[in-house]
């Protein structure tokens, strides 16, 4: 027992020293989505500030494919020494585990949560040909015209699909799902009234609202978004408890020392508080999260994962 305790003490001292020295060489930041996508852009904005603060290079390494799961699996196999990070979204850790039973990683066991960085709310858009000018009017119309409405998504099992599925379940309405290969492809059909509603990101959806092509009814976040403060939340609009965002966060591979987790958490939390970071993220429709601990991040992800697991089961959503 004494030998074990001495070994642990020595390891903790070594790990603490390593964390204090971090980073003394370039850090690889795996982004499991394509270059120029939302997650990639968020990663580059944030890591640029972290690199500036720490005086070390942070290299974004895009590893896209299979909804982000290929890059996540690769990051899970890296050494937990602080020199490989995963900057990812709810897709890889709260949604895909319930859609892909044969994932090459365990979202909870193979990673160490580090920091919740930011959130991106969605906006509920409808075609102007619908008479509904509020969420309650939309629900009333859907109930008066059973199965007459359809909703677009960016693909089966995406957050866009799940947002609409959760909305229809809580509202007690039935609609038909029409998947597209991206929301941009759905916008013309939505404007023409061939599909009736869509949960889109604020930056891509709101320009069509301002031009008059589409109508915005509400945002999906828990509180009103600073990016569209005139829009009520779905919870305000008669769906209490409805809240959904795409979150962005940082992970280390499993086995990272507490000292290293704390060091990385502090570095990214500091970067997120820089005014220029917040301003750059706002252009992407992304809002910085409140500073928090790794434990708080882990709890948030666990709650988000449980929520999407329930929606996926209820609607029998599958990628197979």
């Amino acid at each position: 027992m004494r030998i074990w305790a001495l070994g642990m003490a020595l390891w903790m001292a070594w790990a603490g020293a390593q964390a204090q020295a971090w980073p003394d060489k370039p850090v690889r930041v795996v982004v499991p989505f394509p270059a120029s996508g939302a997650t990639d852009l968020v990663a580059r904005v944030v890591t640029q500030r972290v690199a500036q603060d720490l005086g070390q290079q942070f290299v974004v390494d895009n590893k896209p494919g299979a909804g982000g799961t290929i890059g996540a699996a690769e990051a899970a196999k890296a050494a937990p020494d602080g020199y490989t990070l995963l900057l990812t979204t709810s897709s890889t850790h709260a949604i895909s585990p319930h859609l892909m039973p044969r994932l090459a990683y365990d979202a909870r066991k193979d990673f160490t949560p580090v920091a919740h960085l930011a959130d991106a709310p969605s906006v509920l858009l409808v075609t102007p040909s619908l008479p509904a000018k509020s969420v309650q009017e939309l629900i009333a119309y859907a109930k008066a015209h059973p199965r007459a409405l359809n909703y677009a998504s960016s693909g089966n099992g995406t957050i866009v699909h799940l947002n609409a599925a959760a909305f229809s379940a809580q509202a007690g309405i039935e609609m038909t799902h029409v998947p597209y290969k991206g929301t941009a492809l759905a916008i013309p059909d939505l404007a023409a009234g061939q599909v009736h509603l869509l949960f889109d990101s604020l930056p891509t959806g709101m320009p069509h609202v301002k031009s008059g092509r589409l109508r915005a009814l509400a945002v999906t976040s828990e509180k009103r978004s600073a990016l569209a403060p005139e829009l009520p939340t779905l919870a305000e609009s008669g769906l209490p408890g409805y809240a959904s965002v795409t979150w962005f966060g940082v992970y280390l591979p499993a086995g990272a020392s507490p000292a290293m987790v704390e060091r990385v958490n502090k570095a990214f939390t500091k970067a997120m508080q820089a005014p220029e970071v917040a301003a750059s993220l706002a252009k992407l429709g992304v809002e910085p999260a409140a500073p928090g601990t790794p434990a708080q991040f882990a709890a948030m992800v666990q709650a988000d994962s449980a929520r999407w697991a329930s929606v996926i089961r209820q609607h029998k959503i599958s990628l197979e």
Side-chain angles (χ1 to χ4, degrees):
M1 180 65 74
R2 289 180 180 177
I3 294 175
W4 179 86
L6 178 60
M8 283 298 297
L10 291 172
W11 180 85
M12 290 178 68
W14 175 84
Q18 291 293 105
Q20 288 300 317
W22 180 90
D24 58 8
K25 61 182 181 180
V27 177
R28 176 191 181 214
V29 182
V30 176
V31 172
F33 299 100
S36 299
T39 310
D40 174 70
L41 295 175
V42 169
R44 292 179 189 277
V45 168
V46 178
T47 57
Q48 182 178 7
R49 179 64 196 211
V50 175
Q52 179 182 328
D53 288 342
L54 298 180
Q56 187 55 261
Q57 188 177 14
F58 280 67
V59 181
V60 173
D61 187 7
N62 297 97
K63 296 290 182 181
T69 60
I70 291 176
E74 180 172 324
K77 297 182 178 73
D81 57 5
Y83 292 94
T84 297
L85 309 177
L86 175 69
L87 198 156
T88 190
T89 73
S90 29
S91 176
T92 59
H93 281 63
I95 296 174
S96 289
H98 310 297
L99 292 170
M100 304 177 183
R102 291 182 289 276
L103 277 180
Y105 63 89
D106 186 304
R108 294 183 65 179
K109 295 179 180 178
D110 292 341
F111 296 92
T112 302
V114 175
H116 177 198
L117 300 181
D119 299 311
S122 297
V123 57
L124 171 55
L125 304 171
V126 297
T127 180
S129 61
L130 276 181
K133 291 185 170 61
S134 70
V135 172
Q136 283 303 308
E137 288 180 4
L138 173 63
I139 293 172
Y141 182 91
K143 289 182 176 179
H145 303 81
R147 301 184 184 86
L149 298 185
N150 52 47
Y151 64 91
S153 84
S154 53
N156 200 38
T158 61
I159 187 72
V160 179
H161 178 196
L162 299 182
N163 277 335
F167 168 74
S168 63
Q170 189 167 348
I173 60 178
E174 293 186 44
M175 301 184 293
T176 301
H177 176 212
V178 182
Y180 289 76
K181 293 182 179 179
T183 58
L185 298 176
I187 293 293
D189 286 352
L190 184 63
Q194 295 177 21
V195 289
H196 301 104
L197 63 95
L198 167 70
F199 284 83
D200 199 9
S201 68
L202 283 165
T204 57
M206 291 307 290
H208 300 290
V209 174
K210 292 175 181 177
S211 71
R213 295 183 72 200
L214 301 174
R215 183 181 300 138
L217 300 186
V219 292
T220 62
S221 45
E222 184 177 351
K223 299 178 181 179
R224 291 198 181 202
S225 171
L227 307 176
E230 72 280 7
L231 292 177
T233 67
L234 280 165
E236 285 180 276
S237 304
L239 296 179
Y242 189 107
S244 170
V245 294
T246 296
W247 53 259
F248 299 84
V250 173
Y251 286 87
L252 280 161
S257 70
M260 181 60 74
V261 174
E262 181 181 7
R263 183 86 169 92
V264 180
N265 174 276
K266 286 184 176 180
F268 276 85
T269 299
K270 180 182 178 182
M272 293 304 300
Q273 294 174 314
E276 68 271 21
V277 170
S280 295
L281 293 181
K283 296 176 182 177
L284 303 174
V286 177
E287 301 175 349
T293 66
Q296 289 171 324
F297 177 39
M300 183 276 291
V301 174
Q302 186 174 348
D304 197 44
S305 178
R307 176 174 183 266
W308 291 131
S310 176
V311 171
I312 289 166
R313 284 195 305 269
Q314 180 179 358
H315 292 266
K316 298 180 174 60
I317 298 171
S318 173
L319 300 183
E320 297 179 350

